[in-house]
Amino acid sequence: MNFANLPVSKKAGMLYKRMPIEIESPEQMGYDTIKNNLSESSYTDARFNEIGGLETSLKDLVLCYGSHEGHEALRSLLIKDSPVLHREDVLLTMGAAAGLFIIATSLLEPGDELVVVRPNYATNIETPRAIGATLRYIDLRFEDGFALDMTAVKKAINKKTKYISVTYPHNPTGVCLNDEEMKALVMIARENKIHLLVDETYRDMVFGPPLPLAATYWEGVISVSSLSKSYGLPGLRMGWIICRDRRLMETFLAAKEQIFICGSMLDEEVSYRYLLQKDRHFPGIQKDILEKFGMVKSWMQQQEGLEWVEPKGGVVCFPRIRKPEKVDIGKFYELLLKKYGTYTGPGHWFEMPGHYMRIGFGWPSTQQLEQGLAAITKSLSEAAL
Protein backbone atom coordinates (compact mmCIF):
# COMPACT_ATOMS: atom_id res chain seq x y z
CA MET A 1 0.00 0.00 0.00
CA ASN A 2 1.33 3.46 -0.90
CA PHE A 3 0.78 5.50 2.25
CA ALA A 4 2.07 8.62 0.51
CA ASN A 5 -1.17 8.72 -1.51
CA LEU A 6 -3.46 8.71 1.53
CA PRO A 7 -5.49 11.92 1.82
CA VAL A 8 -4.52 14.28 4.62
CA SER A 9 -7.29 16.26 6.25
CA LYS A 10 -6.61 19.94 6.76
CA LYS A 11 -8.59 19.66 9.98
CA ALA A 12 -6.96 16.50 11.30
CA GLY A 13 -6.20 17.84 14.77
CA MET A 14 -3.71 20.21 16.30
CA LEU A 15 -1.73 22.21 13.77
CA TYR A 16 1.75 21.07 14.77
CA LYS A 17 4.65 22.93 13.22
CA ARG A 18 8.33 22.44 13.95
CA MET A 19 9.92 25.44 15.62
CA PRO A 20 13.11 27.04 14.21
CA ILE A 21 14.70 26.94 17.66
CA GLU A 22 14.37 23.13 17.57
CA ILE A 23 15.15 22.58 13.88
CA GLU A 24 18.34 24.62 14.25
CA SER A 25 19.24 23.45 17.75
CA PRO A 26 22.83 22.29 18.42
CA GLU A 27 21.66 18.76 19.18
CA GLN A 28 20.01 18.59 15.76
CA MET A 29 22.98 20.11 13.95
CA GLY A 30 25.43 17.95 15.87
CA TYR A 31 27.47 19.25 18.76
CA ASP A 32 30.65 18.22 16.95
CA THR A 33 29.95 20.82 14.24
CA ILE A 34 30.21 23.71 16.73
CA LYS A 35 33.41 24.78 18.47
CA ASN A 36 32.02 27.57 20.65
CA ASN A 37 28.36 26.95 21.49
CA LEU A 38 26.84 30.21 22.72
CA SER A 39 23.29 29.27 21.75
CA GLU A 40 22.31 27.23 24.81
CA SER A 41 19.87 28.64 27.35
CA SER A 42 20.96 26.50 30.30
CA TYR A 43 23.89 25.98 32.59
CA THR A 44 26.62 23.50 31.64
CA ASP A 45 25.31 19.94 31.34
CA ALA A 46 26.05 17.92 34.47
CA ARG A 47 27.50 14.42 34.43
CA PHE A 48 25.82 11.48 36.10
CA ASN A 49 28.81 10.77 38.33
CA GLU A 50 28.62 14.28 39.83
CA ILE A 51 25.47 13.31 41.72
CA GLY A 52 26.73 11.53 44.80
CA GLY A 53 25.21 8.52 46.52
CA LEU A 54 23.37 7.12 43.51
CA GLU A 55 24.97 3.70 43.65
CA THR A 56 23.23 2.97 46.93
CA SER A 57 19.97 4.81 46.33
CA LEU A 58 19.34 3.31 42.89
CA LYS A 59 20.41 -0.22 43.64
CA ASP A 60 17.01 -1.40 44.84
CA LEU A 61 14.83 1.03 42.88
CA VAL A 62 11.74 -0.74 41.56
CA LEU A 63 11.11 0.30 37.95
CA CYS A 64 7.33 0.20 38.22
CA TYR A 65 4.59 2.66 37.29
CA GLY A 66 5.13 5.47 39.75
CA SER A 67 2.78 7.88 41.46
CA HIS A 68 0.85 9.67 38.75
CA GLU A 69 1.35 12.99 40.52
CA GLY A 70 5.06 12.22 40.85
CA HIS A 71 7.67 11.31 43.46
CA GLU A 72 6.12 12.39 46.76
CA ALA A 73 9.33 13.37 48.54
CA LEU A 74 10.54 15.34 45.51
CA ARG A 75 7.26 17.25 45.31
CA SER A 76 7.53 18.10 49.02
CA LEU A 77 11.14 19.21 48.54
CA LEU A 78 10.23 21.61 45.73
CA ILE A 79 7.93 23.67 47.97
CA LYS A 80 9.62 23.15 51.35
CA ASP A 81 10.40 26.86 51.84
CA SER A 82 6.86 28.06 51.14
CA PRO A 83 4.44 28.68 54.03
CA VAL A 84 1.35 28.32 51.81
CA LEU A 85 2.15 25.58 49.30
CA HIS A 86 1.62 21.87 49.85
CA ARG A 87 2.77 18.71 48.09
CA GLU A 88 -0.67 18.37 46.51
CA ASP A 89 -0.06 21.67 44.70
CA VAL A 90 2.81 20.12 42.70
CA LEU A 91 2.55 17.93 39.60
CA LEU A 92 5.74 16.50 38.11
CA THR A 93 6.04 16.58 34.32
CA MET A 94 8.56 15.52 31.69
CA GLY A 95 10.41 18.84 31.62
CA ALA A 96 8.82 22.27 31.66
CA ALA A 97 7.85 21.79 28.00
CA ALA A 98 5.43 19.00 28.92
CA GLY A 99 4.02 21.17 31.69
CA LEU A 100 3.40 24.02 29.28
CA PHE A 101 1.76 21.61 26.82
CA ILE A 102 -0.53 20.23 29.54
CA ILE A 103 -1.57 23.74 30.62
CA ALA A 104 -2.28 25.00 27.09
CA THR A 105 -4.27 21.94 26.04
CA SER A 106 -6.23 22.00 29.31
CA LEU A 107 -7.18 25.68 29.20
CA LEU A 108 -7.51 26.47 25.50
CA GLU A 109 -9.84 25.51 22.69
CA PRO A 110 -9.86 26.78 19.10
CA GLY A 111 -11.07 30.38 19.14
CA ASP A 112 -9.99 31.05 22.72
CA GLU A 113 -7.49 33.81 23.37
CA LEU A 114 -4.48 34.33 25.58
CA VAL A 115 -2.20 37.27 26.28
CA VAL A 116 1.46 36.35 25.85
CA VAL A 117 4.72 38.24 26.22
CA ARG A 118 6.95 38.29 23.13
CA PRO A 119 9.81 37.49 22.56
CA ASN A 120 9.39 34.28 24.48
CA TYR A 121 10.39 30.65 24.68
CA ALA A 122 8.87 29.22 21.50
CA THR A 123 6.65 26.59 23.17
CA ASN A 124 4.72 29.30 25.03
CA ILE A 125 3.64 30.57 21.62
CA GLU A 126 3.58 27.58 19.28
CA THR A 127 1.44 25.22 21.37
CA PRO A 128 -1.46 27.70 21.68
CA ARG A 129 -1.13 28.32 17.94
CA ALA A 130 -1.30 24.59 17.24
CA ILE A 131 -4.54 24.40 19.24
CA GLY A 132 -6.04 27.18 17.13
CA ALA A 133 -6.11 29.84 19.83
CA THR A 134 -5.65 33.52 19.11
CA LEU A 135 -2.60 35.12 20.65
CA ARG A 136 -2.58 38.75 21.72
CA TYR A 137 1.06 39.76 22.05
CA ILE A 138 2.64 42.10 24.53
CA ASP A 139 5.76 42.94 22.56
CA LEU A 140 8.70 43.88 24.75
CA ARG A 141 10.73 46.74 23.25
CA PHE A 142 14.46 47.21 23.48
CA GLU A 143 13.90 50.96 23.75
CA ASP A 144 11.88 50.40 26.94
CA GLY A 145 14.47 48.12 28.49
CA PHE A 146 12.22 45.13 27.64
CA ALA A 147 9.96 46.26 30.51
CA LEU A 148 6.48 44.76 30.73
CA ASP A 149 3.77 47.32 29.95
CA MET A 150 0.98 46.58 32.45
CA THR A 151 -1.41 48.94 30.69
CA ALA A 152 -0.94 47.02 27.46
CA VAL A 153 -1.65 43.77 29.30
CA LYS A 154 -4.94 45.16 30.63
CA LYS A 155 -6.01 46.40 27.20
CA ALA A 156 -5.26 43.05 25.54
CA ILE A 157 -7.75 41.14 27.72
CA ASN A 158 -11.30 40.48 26.55
CA LYS A 159 -14.13 38.02 27.19
CA LYS A 160 -12.37 35.27 25.22
CA THR A 161 -9.10 35.53 27.17
CA LYS A 162 -8.29 32.40 29.18
CA TYR A 163 -4.94 33.31 30.66
CA ILE A 164 -1.91 35.61 30.65
CA SER A 165 1.41 33.94 29.80
CA VAL A 166 4.74 35.41 30.94
CA THR A 167 8.30 34.17 31.41
CA TYR A 168 10.39 35.65 34.23
CA PRO A 169 13.33 35.82 34.60
CA HIS A 170 12.83 36.40 30.91
CA ASN A 171 14.10 34.21 28.09
CA PRO A 172 15.84 35.52 25.99
CA THR A 173 16.55 38.96 27.54
CA GLY A 174 17.30 38.12 31.18
CA VAL A 175 15.10 40.95 32.51
CA CYS A 176 13.18 40.30 35.73
CA LEU A 177 10.04 41.44 37.50
CA ASN A 178 10.19 42.80 41.03
CA ASP A 179 7.66 41.93 43.72
CA GLU A 180 5.54 45.00 43.08
CA GLU A 181 5.32 44.23 39.36
CA MET A 182 4.41 40.60 40.00
CA LYS A 183 1.63 41.66 42.37
CA ALA A 184 0.32 44.11 39.75
CA LEU A 185 0.26 41.34 37.15
CA VAL A 186 -1.56 39.02 39.55
CA MET A 187 -4.12 41.73 40.28
CA ILE A 188 -4.86 42.14 36.57
CA ALA A 189 -5.55 38.40 36.30
CA ARG A 190 -7.71 38.39 39.46
CA GLU A 191 -9.79 41.35 38.36
CA ASN A 192 -10.49 39.68 35.01
CA LYS A 193 -11.05 36.22 36.58
CA ILE A 194 -8.45 34.55 34.38
CA HIS A 195 -5.33 32.55 35.16
CA LEU A 196 -1.76 33.78 35.12
CA LEU A 197 0.89 31.39 33.79
CA VAL A 198 4.44 32.16 34.94
CA ASP A 199 7.25 30.20 33.34
CA GLU A 200 9.86 30.69 36.08
CA THR A 201 12.47 28.22 34.88
CA TYR A 202 15.29 30.70 35.57
CA ARG A 203 14.04 31.75 39.02
CA ASP A 204 17.01 30.25 40.90
CA MET A 205 19.47 32.17 38.69
CA VAL A 206 18.49 35.77 39.47
CA PHE A 207 21.42 38.04 40.37
CA GLY A 208 20.01 38.73 43.82
CA PRO A 209 17.25 37.40 46.12
CA PRO A 210 14.61 35.48 44.11
CA LEU A 211 10.91 36.26 44.26
CA PRO A 212 8.67 33.77 46.04
CA LEU A 213 7.40 30.91 43.89
CA ALA A 214 4.82 32.49 41.60
CA ALA A 215 2.06 30.11 42.74
CA THR A 216 2.26 31.57 46.26
CA TYR A 217 0.85 34.92 45.09
CA TRP A 218 -2.69 33.68 44.36
CA GLU A 219 -4.67 30.49 43.71
CA GLY A 220 -5.10 31.44 40.06
CA VAL A 221 -1.36 31.56 39.33
CA ILE A 222 0.16 28.55 37.57
CA SER A 223 3.93 28.30 37.76
CA VAL A 224 6.15 26.05 35.69
CA SER A 225 9.81 25.19 36.14
CA SER A 226 12.37 22.41 35.68
CA LEU A 227 15.84 21.16 36.49
CA SER A 228 17.04 21.77 32.93
CA LYS A 229 18.21 25.37 32.97
CA SER A 230 19.53 26.23 36.43
CA TYR A 231 21.13 22.89 37.15
CA GLY A 232 22.29 21.67 33.76
CA LEU A 233 20.12 18.55 33.90
CA PRO A 234 18.00 18.65 30.70
CA GLY A 235 18.63 14.95 30.10
CA LEU A 236 16.63 14.02 33.19
CA ARG A 237 13.46 15.54 31.68
CA MET A 238 12.21 16.71 35.04
CA GLY A 239 9.80 19.62 35.29
CA TRP A 240 6.77 20.55 37.34
CA ILE A 241 3.57 22.56 37.54
CA ILE A 242 2.67 24.30 40.81
CA CYS A 243 -0.84 25.65 41.37
CA ARG A 244 -3.10 26.00 44.42
CA ASP A 245 -6.32 25.52 42.40
CA ARG A 246 -7.00 21.85 43.21
CA ARG A 247 -9.75 21.44 40.61
CA LEU A 248 -7.47 22.73 37.91
CA MET A 249 -4.66 20.48 39.12
CA GLU A 250 -7.02 17.52 38.79
CA THR A 251 -7.50 18.47 35.14
CA PHE A 252 -3.74 18.75 34.66
CA LEU A 253 -3.33 15.31 36.23
CA ALA A 254 -5.91 13.85 33.86
CA ALA A 255 -4.00 15.34 30.94
CA LYS A 256 -0.71 13.93 32.21
CA GLU A 257 -2.23 10.47 32.63
CA GLN A 258 -3.54 10.48 29.07
CA ILE A 259 -0.20 11.65 27.63
CA PHE A 260 2.33 9.55 29.58
CA ILE A 261 0.56 8.15 32.71
CA CYS A 262 3.45 8.89 35.04
CA GLY A 263 7.05 9.99 34.94
CA SER A 264 10.21 7.92 34.83
CA MET A 265 10.95 6.35 38.22
CA LEU A 266 14.65 6.67 37.46
CA ASP A 267 14.52 10.35 36.48
CA GLU A 268 12.41 11.25 39.49
CA GLU A 269 14.66 9.44 41.97
CA VAL A 270 17.85 10.92 40.53
CA SER A 271 16.26 14.39 40.56
CA TYR A 272 15.27 13.93 44.18
CA ARG A 273 18.76 12.82 45.17
CA TYR A 274 20.27 15.79 43.35
CA LEU A 275 18.03 18.36 45.03
CA LEU A 276 18.70 16.81 48.43
CA GLN A 277 22.28 17.93 47.82
CA LYS A 278 21.41 21.31 46.33
CA ASP A 279 23.51 23.14 48.91
CA ARG A 280 26.52 21.19 47.65
CA HIS A 281 25.85 21.66 43.93
CA PHE A 282 24.32 25.08 43.46
CA PRO A 283 26.76 27.56 45.07
CA GLY A 284 29.41 26.52 42.53
CA ILE A 285 26.93 26.96 39.70
CA GLN A 286 25.98 30.45 40.89
CA LYS A 287 29.62 31.46 41.21
CA ASP A 288 30.44 30.23 37.71
CA ILE A 289 27.42 32.00 36.20
CA LEU A 290 28.34 35.33 37.80
CA GLU A 291 31.95 35.03 36.64
CA LYS A 292 30.85 34.31 33.07
CA PHE A 293 28.31 37.12 33.19
CA GLY A 294 31.12 39.42 34.22
CA MET A 295 33.05 38.34 31.12
CA VAL A 296 30.08 39.14 28.88
CA LYS A 297 29.48 42.49 30.57
CA SER A 298 33.12 43.53 30.17
CA TRP A 299 33.05 42.44 26.53
CA MET A 300 29.83 44.37 25.81
CA GLN A 301 31.34 47.54 27.28
CA GLN A 302 33.97 47.37 24.54
CA GLN A 303 31.57 46.78 21.64
CA GLU A 304 30.75 49.73 19.41
CA GLY A 305 28.67 47.62 17.05
CA LEU A 306 26.41 46.01 19.68
CA GLU A 307 24.01 47.23 22.34
CA TRP A 308 22.02 45.40 25.00
CA VAL A 309 19.66 45.58 27.92
CA GLU A 310 21.76 44.21 30.75
CA PRO A 311 20.15 41.04 32.16
CA LYS A 312 19.24 40.73 35.83
CA GLY A 313 19.20 36.94 35.94
CA GLY A 314 19.48 33.72 34.00
CA VAL A 315 22.26 32.64 31.66
CA VAL A 316 21.22 34.42 28.46
CA CYS A 317 21.24 37.94 27.08
CA PHE A 318 19.72 39.41 23.93
CA PRO A 319 21.97 42.06 22.38
CA ARG A 320 21.38 43.57 18.97
CA ILE A 321 23.55 44.98 16.22
CA ARG A 322 23.50 48.75 16.71
CA LYS A 323 23.36 49.70 13.01
CA PRO A 324 21.96 46.67 11.13
CA GLU A 325 21.79 48.61 7.86
CA LYS A 326 25.60 48.69 7.88
CA VAL A 327 26.05 44.93 8.37
CA ASP A 328 25.32 41.99 6.06
CA ILE A 329 23.37 40.01 8.64
CA GLY A 330 23.37 36.76 6.65
CA LYS A 331 27.12 36.99 6.09
CA PHE A 332 27.65 37.72 9.80
CA TYR A 333 26.00 34.47 10.88
CA GLU A 334 27.73 32.52 8.12
CA LEU A 335 31.16 33.80 9.12
CA LEU A 336 30.42 33.25 12.78
CA LEU A 337 29.67 29.55 12.33
CA LYS A 338 31.62 28.46 9.27
CA LYS A 339 34.80 30.46 9.83
CA TYR A 340 34.90 30.74 13.61
CA GLY A 341 32.84 27.71 14.70
CA THR A 342 30.66 29.86 16.96
CA TYR A 343 26.90 29.52 17.29
CA THR A 344 24.39 31.95 18.78
CA GLY A 345 20.58 31.98 18.82
CA PRO A 346 19.47 34.21 15.90
CA GLY A 347 16.58 36.60 16.32
CA HIS A 348 14.15 34.56 14.23
CA TRP A 349 14.13 31.88 16.94
CA PHE A 350 12.07 34.40 18.92
CA GLU A 351 10.15 36.04 16.05
CA MET A 352 12.53 38.99 16.20
CA PRO A 353 14.67 40.59 13.45
CA GLY A 354 17.97 38.98 12.54
CA HIS A 355 20.11 41.71 14.06
CA TYR A 356 19.08 40.45 17.51
CA MET A 357 20.87 37.41 18.89
CA ARG A 358 20.62 35.36 22.05
CA ILE A 359 23.96 34.69 23.67
CA GLY A 360 24.04 31.92 26.24
CA PHE A 361 26.93 32.40 28.64
CA GLY A 362 26.24 29.66 31.20
CA TRP A 363 26.72 26.56 29.07
CA PRO A 364 30.14 27.01 27.40
CA SER A 365 33.44 26.72 29.24
CA THR A 366 35.22 29.95 30.11
CA GLN A 367 37.60 29.41 27.21
CA GLN A 368 34.79 28.69 24.74
CA LEU A 369 32.89 31.75 25.91
CA GLU A 370 35.94 33.97 25.52
CA GLN A 371 36.65 32.59 22.04
CA GLY A 372 32.99 32.84 21.03
CA LEU A 373 32.66 36.47 22.10
CA ALA A 374 35.84 37.34 20.20
CA ALA A 375 34.41 35.56 17.15
CA ILE A 376 31.26 37.71 17.28
CA THR A 377 33.40 40.85 17.28
CA LYS A 378 35.47 39.61 14.32
CA SER A 379 32.43 38.45 12.33
CA LEU A 380 30.70 41.82 12.81
CA SER A 381 33.75 43.61 11.51
CA GLU A 382 34.14 41.33 8.50
CA ALA A 383 30.44 41.51 7.61
CA ALA A 384 30.39 45.30 7.61
CA LEU A 385 29.05 46.94 4.46
Side-chain angles (χ1 to χ4, degrees):
M1 183 176 182
N2 187 353
F3 289 96
N5 294 327
L6 287 176
V8 178
S9 171
K10 294 183 179 180
K11 297 181 180 179
M14 289 179 61
L15 305 174
Y16 286 114
K17 180 182 177 182
R18 292 196 71 197
M19 299 176 286
I21 195 172
E22 303 300 349
I23 296 171
E24 301 168 18
S25 64
E27 62 269 23
Q28 288 294 99
M29 294 177 59
Y31 287 108
D32 58 344
T33 66
I34 304 169
K35 181 181 178 182
N36 306 307
N37 184 2
L38 275 59
S39 70
E40 300 288 354
S41 59
S42 62
Y43 185 66
T44 308
D45 295 336
R47 295 184 180 275
F48 192 75
N49 62 9
E50 295 173 10
I51 307 174
L54 293 182
E55 297 82 1
T56 302
S57 63
L58 299 180
K59 183 178 179 181
D60 297 318
L61 180 66
V62 179
L63 301 178
C64 59
Y65 285 110
S67 162
H68 292 193
E69 292 86 351
H71 192 295
E72 293 187 357
L74 174 56
R75 289 159 57 217
S76 296
L77 193 59
L78 290 170
I79 48 86
K80 69 180 180 65
D81 296 325
S82 171
V84 298
L85 295 172
H86 304 279
R87 184 179 68 199
E88 291 74 22
D89 301 325
V90 183
L91 178 69
L92 300 186
T93 61
M94 294 182 69
L100 294 171
F101 183 88
I102 285 171
I103 292 164
T105 54
S106 296
L107 295 180
L108 296 173
E109 295 180 357
D112 286 340
E113 296 189 5
L114 74 154
V115 175
V116 59
V117 166
R118 186 173 61 176
N120 208 318
Y121 174 56
T123 297
N124 283 314
I125 292 175
E126 287 298 341
T127 302
R129 278 181 181 161
I131 293 168
T134 297
L135 284 73
R136 294 192 176 272
Y137 299 108
I138 306 301
D139 286 318
L140 305 181
R141 299 176 68 250
F142 183 96
E143 294 76 12
D144 299 327
F146 293 122
L148 181 61
D149 185 338
M150 297 294 177
T151 301
V153 174
K154 291 179 182 179
K155 289 181 178 179
I157 296 170
N158 60 41
K159 292 181 179 180
K160 293 184 178 180
T161 306
K162 297 299 182 181
Y163 63 94
I164 303 166
S165 174
V166 300
T167 301
Y168 286 102
H170 187 249
N171 179 9
T173 69
V175 300
C176 298
L177 293 182
N178 58 36
D179 183 65
E180 182 179 338
E181 290 169 327
M182 181 64 79
K183 288 177 178 176
L185 196 56
V186 169
M187 184 57 65
I188 293 171
R190 293 187 70 164
E191 289 175 347
N192 287 278
K193 298 180 180 179
I194 58 177
H195 289 96
L196 170 63
L197 168 61
V198 182
D199 181 344
E200 55 183 358
T201 305
Y202 294 92
R203 174 178 171 271
D204 285 344
M205 290 194 287
V206 295
F207 305 154
L211 292 181
L213 289 166
T216 64
Y217 282 88
W218 173 51
E219 292 85 353
V221 177
I222 308 163
S223 62
V224 173
S225 191
S226 77
L227 291 183
S228 299
K229 306 299 184 181
S230 296
Y231 304 97
L233 296 169
L236 285 181
R237 307 311 305 136
M238 181 51 54
W240 52 88
I241 300 170
I242 305 179
C243 181
R244 292 156 61 193
D245 183 335
R246 296 291 172 81
R247 290 202 303 174
L248 187 58
M249 288 295 279
E250 187 74 9
T251 300
F252 293 160
L253 175 59
K256 176 184 177 180
E257 289 171 330
Q258 292 179 43
I259 299 169
F260 43 84
I261 304 176
C262 64
S264 159
M265 292 291 288
L266 184 60
D267 285 7
E268 292 186 2
E269 185 64 28
V270 174
S271 299
Y272 172 62
R273 295 296 167 180
Y274 182 92
L275 284 183
L276 276 179
Q277 304 174 62
K278 179 179 176 180
D279 291 343
R280 179 169 75 88
H281 295 295
F282 201 55
I285 292 175
Q286 289 177 306
K287 181 175 181 292
D288 192 42
I289 289 172
L290 289 174
E291 288 176 355
K292 290 175 178 174
F293 171 65
M295 290 175 59
V296 177
K297 185 174 179 178
S298 296
W299 172 75
M300 278 297 302
Q301 290 171 346
Q302 302 170 32
Q303 302 306 302
E304 295 182 359
L306 293 171
E307 56 186 349
W308 74 340
V309 173
E310 184 178 318
K312 301 299 182 184
V315 288
V316 295
C317 58
F318 202 51
R320 69 180 186 181
I321 297 172
R322 193 184 297 271
K323 296 181 179 179
E325 70 279 4
K326 294 187 177 183
V327 176
D328 185 330
I329 304 297
K331 183 179 180 181
F332 162 73
Y333 284 112
E334 183 177 8
L335 286 168
L336 189 62
L337 180 59
K338 294 186 177 180
K339 184 174 181 179
Y340 295 107
T342 298
Y343 199 48
T344 62
H348 71 260
W349 282 8
F350 309 97
E351 301 188 356
M352 293 289 283
H355 67 287
Y356 286 83
M357 71 189 82
R358 186 180 72 182
I359 298 176
F361 52 84
W363 192 89
S365 67
T366 299
Q367 182 181 19
Q368 290 168 337
L369 178 59
E370 185 176 27
Q371 292 175 348
L373 295 175
I376 294 173
T377 302
K378 293 175 183 176
S379 298
L380 276 174
S381 177
E382 295 173 27
L385 295 173

